[in-house]
C-alpha cells in the first residue's frame, strides 16, 4: 500500500540480543537460549525472520556428572466415591515433578495412581 504518511520513517523489526545458554537438558542432550522481538515494524518497515529460541548440543560429560534423582509430587486428594452405597472406588494420583538425569540419578519408584 501507498498509505504512508509524509515524513514517516520506516522502522524495521529488530530482535533483542540472545540470552545466556540454559542448563543442559541431559535427557535431550541439548541446551537452549532465547531472544525476544525488541521492536515491531511499522507499516513501511521490514519484518524479520529467524526463531525466538535456538538449541545446541550439550557436553555429555557435563550430564554424566550431574545426577538428578526422580521426584514425585505429593498425592492429590482422593476422588469422590464412584458409588453412593455399597462398594465403589476412590482414586488419587501424583505426577513426576523431576525426571531422573545422569548416570547415577535414581529412577522414580512407586505408582502414579492408587
Amino acid at each position: 500500500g501507498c498509505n504512508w504518511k509524509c515524513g514517516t520513517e520506516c522502522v524495521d523489526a529488530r530482535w533483542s540480543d540472545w540470552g545466556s545458554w540454559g542448563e543442559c537438558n541431559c535427557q535431550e542432550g541439548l541446551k537452549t537460549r532465547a531472544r525476544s522481538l525488541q521492536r515491531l515494524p511499522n507499516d513501511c518497515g521490514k519484518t524479520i525472520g529467524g526463531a525466538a529460541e535456538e538449541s545446541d548440543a550439550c557436553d555429555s560429560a557435563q550430564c554424566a556428572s550431574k545426577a538428578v534423582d526422580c521426584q514425585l509430587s505429593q498425592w492429590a486428594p482422593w476422588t469422590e466415591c464412584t458409588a453412593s452405597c455399597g462398594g465403589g472406588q476412590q482414586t488419587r494420583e501424583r505426577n513426576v515433578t523431576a525426571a531422573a538425569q545422569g548416570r547415577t540419578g535414581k529412577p522414580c519408584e512407586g505408582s502414579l495412581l492408587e
Side-chain angles (χ1 to χ4, degrees), residues 30-49:
L30 296 172
K31 60 184 177 181
T32 58
R33 66 179 181 170
R35 62 183 176 176
S36 58
L37 202 51
Q38 194 172 36
R39 183 174 64 201
L40 293 170
N42 65 3
D43 290 337
C44 63
K46 296 177 186 172
T47 58
I48 195 166

Side-chain angles (χ1 to χ4, degrees), residues 10 19-20 54 114:
C10 293
S20 301
E54 69 177 359
E114 63 177 23

Side-chain angles (χ1 to χ4, degrees), residues 35-109:
R35 62 183 176 176
S36 58
L37 202 51
Q38 194 172 36
R39 183 174 64 201
L40 293 170
N42 65 3
D43 290 337
C44 63
K46 296 177 186 172
T47 58
I48 195 166
E53 190 174 280
E54 69 177 359
S55 300
D56 195 18
C58 307
D59 179 9
S60 59
Q62 177 186 14
C63 288
S65 64
K66 182 183 174 188
V68 175
D69 294 340
C70 172
Q71 294 179 6
L72 298 173
S73 68
Q74 296 294 316
W75 286 104
W78 288 100
T79 61
E80 289 191 30
C81 190
T82 58
S84 60
C85 177
Q89 289 186 329
Q90 288 181 291
T91 59
R92 65 180 183 166
E93 62 183 9
R94 60 184 176 176
N95 300 307
V96 176
T97 57
Q101 294 183 15
R103 289 186 192 142
T104 59
K106 295 177 185 168
C108 293
E109 293 181 9

